[in-house]
Amino acid sequence: VLCDPPYKLSSDEVASLLGDLARSGHVSADATMVAERARHGEALTVPEQELHVADVRTYGDTVLYYVRCGPLIHDGGLAAHE
C-alpha cells in the first residue's frame, strides 16, 4: 500500500491512518505500507503494538517509511517479524 498524505499532516495523524488501515481487514497481516513524508519534516513514528517501521529510505527531499503490520519481535539480537 502506498500512502502519500499531504506533508502538513502530523506524524501522529499518518500513524493513526496506517493503524486504522491495518485494523480494517483490507490489508493482509503481513502487508507492507509505504508512507511518503518530507525529509525536513517530522519523523514518522507508529504504535509499536500494531505496526513497525521496517525500513526508511531518503530520496532528495522525500523520505519513504516502509511500515509492516504487527510488532517488531526481537529474538537473540536479531529482529524478526511474526
Side-chain angles (χ1 to χ4, degrees), residues 9-45:
L9 245 53
S10 72
S11 176
D12 288 342
E13 290 173 298
V14 174
S16 178
L17 290 171
L18 294 174
D20 289 347
L21 181 60
R23 288 186 301 276
S24 73
H26 293 293
V27 296
S28 67
D30 62 348
T32 299
M33 298 175 279
V34 181
E36 181 179 340
R37 305 297 290 154
R39 178 179 180 195
H40 300 291
E42 182 182 12
L44 180 65
T45 57

Side-chain angles (χ1 to χ4, degrees), residues 17-80:
L17 290 171
L18 294 174
D20 289 347
L21 181 60
R23 288 186 301 276
S24 73
H26 293 293
V27 296
S28 67
D30 62 348
T32 299
M33 298 175 279
V34 181
E36 181 179 340
R37 305 297 290 154
R39 178 179 180 195
H40 300 291
E42 182 182 12
L44 180 65
T45 57
V46 296
E48 294 178 358
Q49 67 277 13
E50 299 182 297
L51 306 168
H52 68 276
V53 177
D55 196 6
V56 179
R57 303 283 175 106
T58 302
Y59 302 97
D61 289 335
T62 300
V63 179
L64 298 179
Y65 291 87
Y66 292 80
V67 179
R68 298 290 310 265
C69 294
L72 185 62
I73 307 299
H74 296 279
D75 183 20
L78 298 175

